[in-house]
Structure formats: structure tokens, C-alpha cells
Amino acid sequence: MAYLSSQKSGSKAKEAALTVAVNVCRFLLGATFVLSGFVKAVDPIGTQYKIQDYLSAVGLAQYFPDIVTLLSAIALSALEFCLGVFTLFAIRRHLISKLIVAYMAVMTFITIWTALYNPVKDCGCFGDAIHLTNVETLLKNILLLAASCVVAWQPLRMYRFLSRSNQWIAINYSILFILLLSGHCLYHLPLIDFRPYHIGMNIKKGMEIPKGAPHPEFETTFVLQKNGVRKTFTLDNYPDSSWQFVDSKTVQTKAGFVPPIHDFSIEKPDGDDITDSVLNARGYVFLLISPHLEQADDSNFGDIDQLYEYCQEQKIPFYCLTASGEKDIRHWEDITGAEYPFAFTDETTLKTIIRSNPGLLLLKDGTIIRKWSHNDLPSSASLNAPLSKLDIGAMPKKSLGKTIMQVVLWFFIPLLLLVFADRTWAWTQYVKRKVRERGDKLREEEKKLENNKFFTSFKKQKNE
């Protein structure tokens, strides 16, 4: 008996440990997928750029138009977010666990390729929120693949927060929420800006390298030849002049500190660099951002022209920064009547600054205080006073932390209320069932007791 009891106790401990392991893996997967999908959804254009980087690396970018890559970005973020939510709440446990294994297998295969050949520097797994090297991404995916296999092995060990009959509500709600979030951030601007050019960033300070920061280190090797023999030398053992130079190669041996902003410059068409004059200007500066004027939305050019007229009246500098050539600039001037000055900035930098083409930036003393999509440009009616007296002339009062909290609550509060209602209903039904079972048991015992009394009385009468 002692042996059987010990064996049974050991079996229970093993079962409990397995249940804990499955649920730990389940929450790890769910949280990672929700975070990954969310940061992609709030910046669909940034996710589109990353997809285009991967397509360019394999020579397929020209076969996929922008609309296809954009829809793919939205679909990818929605897929990851929903898989994460469904895993956290154990919705459709068998199906979702298998889908995650398949998804992680594909992603792990891709990251093996990126780790070996380094076609892109950053995988983009977490958008601009978290940057990982390709090797770090591979290790992360191996861990998640292992966790997904554990969950798929024993999916029924995941504790379910929602009854199967109510899971359709959470499924539709999650899909609708993430698609609406992507659409909102696409039409306006990302609700949460993880890039270095966020509101509150002083561009010049973002370009500074702090004292004592590590500098990059390089090593140069030389291939020299003498009497038909070639050898490789460094600066430390460079030989005498009897050796003939053949080739040299310089490689970076140690990475140095890279400031958040390291590629920002403004150059006028005549070649004059005005970066410092713009960033050092006291007061306000408007920057209209358009990486490619030939692809820019020209439906709101009237608001832009009126804004430029306001800037002329208020003596506020206004520039349009673009990577387009002079031919495209002239075409833009012809179709919009633009009279504002143009200047050149790197294409990638402009795409990083704002996710809108065109988009509008307002600087004050070199600090970004406002950003607008071309769908939300300040109207002429609102520009009825000096900028310092208008709301748009000051930093927004809403903080980043408050924005994140609001978005999280928008999604999770309704879902948690659904879980609470579902669990309350399930508990009520459980209690009712137990009460009913208890009542049935008591009635059965009473019936047995009455039968026993009857037979006892019958037997007594018979004996008499």
C-alpha cells in the first residue's frame, strides 16, 4: 500500500509539473506574439518597409507592388497579435497550438538564413520598439519554437479562460480590434512612435556622441609581394620597401557608439548645407517631409499652401525635404502651385522621420513638438494667431505612457469583462449542478431510508 501511495503521489507531481511547463510556455508564446503583432500594427508602413527589405534581399521586390506589401504587413501583424491572444486565453487550443508551431518553424528557417548571410541588419520582429541582431533573433526563435512544441504536445493542459461557446466573441473582437488599430495608424500616424524622431526629441542632441563613449575600431591588412611570394601584413609588422604592394583591406573589429540620429542632413539645391541653421534656429521651423514627391498624396495641397502663407506672415521658416530629383520637384510645383523652398535629405531618413507622404513636422529650438499626417494638417481656420499662442505651438500634454495604457485598456478591459462574465456564468452553472446533484443524492438516500423502514416494518410484522 505504501508503495502504491508513493507511486500515485509521484505521478501526480509529474502531471502537475507538466501542466506548469505547458502553461509557462503558453504565456511566453502569447505575450511575445501579442507584443510583436501590436508593435507592427501601430506602424504598418514601417512593417511594409521591412517586408520590402526582405524582398529586395532575394531580388523579388520589383514583383510586389506597394499595395501588396502594405496589405501583407497588416495581415502579418493581425496574425501574430491574434495568435498571441488566442494562446493567452486558450482559444481553440488544438488548432492554434499547431498553427504556432508551423509559424515558428517558418520563421526559424528564415532567421537561420539571415543569421548566416546577414541580408538585413535587423529582423524587424518587434518593429522599432526592440532591435535584435540576426543571431539574437535566431536564438529567440529557437526558444519559441521549442515552447510551441511543448504546448502543441499537450494543448489540453492549457487552462481555458473562456467557454468554447463564447470563444467566437473573443476571436471576432481581437481580429476587428487589430485591423481597426492598423487602419487608424495608417490613416493618421502611429499612436506610439518608437523611432528616434519622436515628439520631444531634440534632433541635434540625438546626433551627439557622449564623452567616453566607445569608438569603432578598424584593422587594415596589406597583401604584399616579393620574389613571386605573397604575404599578408598588418601595420604592426609592415615590411621594408623591397615588398611590392598588391592589395589592402580594412574591416571593423569593434563596434562603437552609434547615436540615435546619425544620418540627418539638409542640403539646398545649390549644394549649401543648412542642417545647422535649421537645428540651431531659435523658435519654430516647419518641415514638410516627402521621401518621393512623385508618390506623394496631393489631395491636401491647398492646406499646405495656406500653411506656407501663414509661415510667411509670421516669419517662420518652412522647407520641404525630399529625396526626389529636380524634375519631380518641378512637377509637384506645377500640380500644386507650391512656392515653398525645397531641400534634399536622405530617403531612408525621411521615411524614418514620419510615416506619411507627405507629412509635416514642427520644430521648436530644434526639438520636435508636433507631427501631422497629410490627412490631419492644420487648417487655415485654426491658424488665426501667432504660433506661440496656439495649441499646436506647444508640446502635446498626453504622455507616451498614458497613450500605451489607453490602447492596452481599450483592448483588454472588454476582453477581461467577457472572461469575468463567462467564468461567473460557468461558476453559477457549476454551483447549480452541484446543488442539483446534492439534492438528487439526498432524495435517493431518503428513498433508500424509507425503503429500509418499510422492509424493516414488513419483516417485523411477518415475525409477529
Side-chain angles (χ1 to χ4, degrees), residues 50 54 107-108 110-127 129-142 255:
K50 185 56 64 175
Y54 278 98
M107 288 300 161
T108 302
I110 293 175
T111 50
I112 290 174
W113 167 63
T114 58
L116 289 175
Y117 300 102
N118 200 36
V120 292
K121 292 183 179 180
D122 174 37
C123 71
C125 303
F126 301 104
I130 302 174
H131 293 280
L132 299 176
T133 66
N134 289 328
V135 173
E136 290 171 342
T137 302
L138 175 59
L139 295 176
K140 177 208 45 128
N141 283 355
I142 291 174

Side-chain angles (χ1 to χ4, degrees), residues 352-454:
T352 305
I353 291 174
I354 194 167
R355 302 302 199 203
S356 178
N357 186 18
L360 185 65
L361 210 67
L362 177 59
L363 307 183
K364 184 177 182 182
D365 301 334
T367 298
I368 302 172
I369 64 169
R370 292 281 177 169
K371 300 173 79 169
W372 293 273
S373 161
H374 63 82
N375 295 311
D376 302 308
L377 296 172
S379 64
S380 58
S382 65
L383 301 172
N384 52 14
L387 202 54
S388 59
K389 297 182 179 180
L390 299 177
D391 289 340
I392 65 171
M395 195 84 69
K397 296 179 181 179
K398 184 184 291 187
S399 65
L400 176 61
K402 186 176 180 180
T403 301
I404 294 175
M405 183 61 65
Q406 285 180 341
V407 175
V408 170
L409 293 179
W410 287 344
F411 177 72
F412 279 106
I413 283 185
L415 204 57
L416 292 176
L417 289 175
L418 174 63
V419 170
F420 177 76
D422 180 86
R423 292 298 87 192
T424 301
W425 173 258
W427 174 253
T428 302
Q429 295 302 108
Y430 172 79
V431 171
K432 286 181 178 180
R433 187 173 66 254
K434 286 298 182 181
V435 170
R436 186 168 57 251
E437 290 175 355
R438 179 64 177 168
D440 292 342
K441 187 176 181 181
L442 287 174
R443 283 190 292 271
E444 186 177 345
E445 289 178 353
E446 288 176 357
K447 189 175 181 180
K448 287 181 180 179
L449 183 60
E450 289 177 358
N451 290 336
N452 289 336
K453 288 181 178 179
F454 172 77

